[in-house]
Every structure is written in C-alpha cells, then in structure tokens.
Amino acid sequence: MKIQAYLAFDGNCQEALNFYADLFDAEIKNRQTYADKKIDVPSSYRDRLQHAELKGKGIHFMAYDAAPDTPLTEGTKIHLSIDLNDRKEAESLYKQLSSGGRIHHELREREWNALFGRFTDRFGINWMINCDLN
C-alpha cells in the first residue's frame, strides 16, 4: 500500500509545480490539461492542469487545478512534512518554501532535539520541516 498526497490549486498548478520541481530537483510527469480531456469546462480552464505528478528522489505527489464545480477552501488539516538530517539543507528549504507565504512556527531548535518550522507557502500549501539534530 502507498498513500500519496494530491494537491488542488486554483489555476496556478503549473506555476507551483515548476517552483517545487526546481526546489526539489524533481520532474513534472503525466502532465494533462483540461484540453486533453472530454470534460465540460469553460474555455478559460482548457490550459489548466487536469492532472500532473511531481517525481524525484524522496518526493512524489500529484496535483491539479480544480474544475469550476470543485470549490476550494484553504484548510489546515493537511501538511506536507519534510524530514531531513542536514541543518543547512533544512534552513535553505525553509527559507525558499516559506518565502511569500505565512509563517506559523519559525524554524528553530525544539525540545525533541530537532529544528522544526511550520508554514503555508505562497500557493496555500501547508508544510512542516523537521531536521534531526542527533
């Protein structure tokens, strides 16, 4: 069994995937637009992503631009968590991913002997970074 995240965006899925692909040295795979499908959506949606995947070393999730009949509400129930062992890499990812977003917990040493930070990125995706300091 494998459980995988599927992220929904409001028209900026390609932009977000490009950002994440560069940041995580990953590839966008299985990219399909609404134009590729026989789905009844307004013409303004035709170039939006109906499905795509981001795959790389240690990362694999799916994403799409929600259709007009799928209302999006920015929520707080789901966070993508990144576990690291390299302090500099954790600091760099935190800085880049949180840029333009909203910080909930600054990246700092925590009582469980780790660097930890939590934020919502500029695309509305919630992230946690946890770096083991052992």
Side-chain angles (χ1 to χ4, degrees):
M1 178 185 296
K2 179 179 178 181
I3 297 174
Q4 193 171 4
Y6 205 120
L7 307 180
F9 293 89
D10 189 20
N12 60 351
C13 184
Q14 184 67 61
E15 178 187 357
L17 288 178
N18 289 341
F19 175 72
Y20 300 143
D22 287 343
L23 187 63
F24 295 114
D25 191 27
E27 291 183 56
I28 300 167
K29 304 259 188 180
N30 300 325
R31 187 183 177 285
Q32 302 165 30
T33 65
Y34 283 97
D36 300 331
K37 302 292 178 188
K38 304 271 191 255
I39 299 173
D40 186 24
V41 293
S43 60
S44 62
Y45 278 73
R46 289 286 174 212
D47 291 333
R48 293 183 181 193
L49 292 181
Q50 191 269 333
H51 175 82
E53 295 178 52
L54 188 71
K55 288 185 176 183
K57 183 179 180 189
I59 187 167
H60 183 196
F61 65 79
M62 298 176 287
Y64 79 118
D65 285 310
D69 64 349
T70 308
L72 294 179
T73 303
E74 188 173 315
T76 57
K77 288 186 174 184
I78 302 291
H79 290 73
L80 296 178
S81 180
I82 303 171
D83 290 324
L84 302 149
N85 293 315
D86 182 286
R87 182 184 196 110
K88 287 186 181 191
E89 185 179 12
E91 290 169 346
S92 177
L93 278 175
Y94 178 85
K95 182 179 178 182
Q96 292 176 74
L97 269 174
S98 66
S99 178
R102 186 173 57 244
I103 305 295
H104 304 291
H105 296 285
E106 290 288 338
L107 185 69
R108 66 176 176 80
E109 290 188 25
R110 306 295 171 146
E111 59 275 7
W112 59 90
N113 202 31
L115 279 182
F116 176 81
R118 187 172 66 84
F119 54 92
T120 304
D121 73 15
R122 67 183 188 210
F123 302 105
I125 303 300
N126 298 305
W127 294 88
M128 294 186 298
I129 292 182
N130 196 66
C131 179
D132 188 5
L133 295 175
N134 289 321

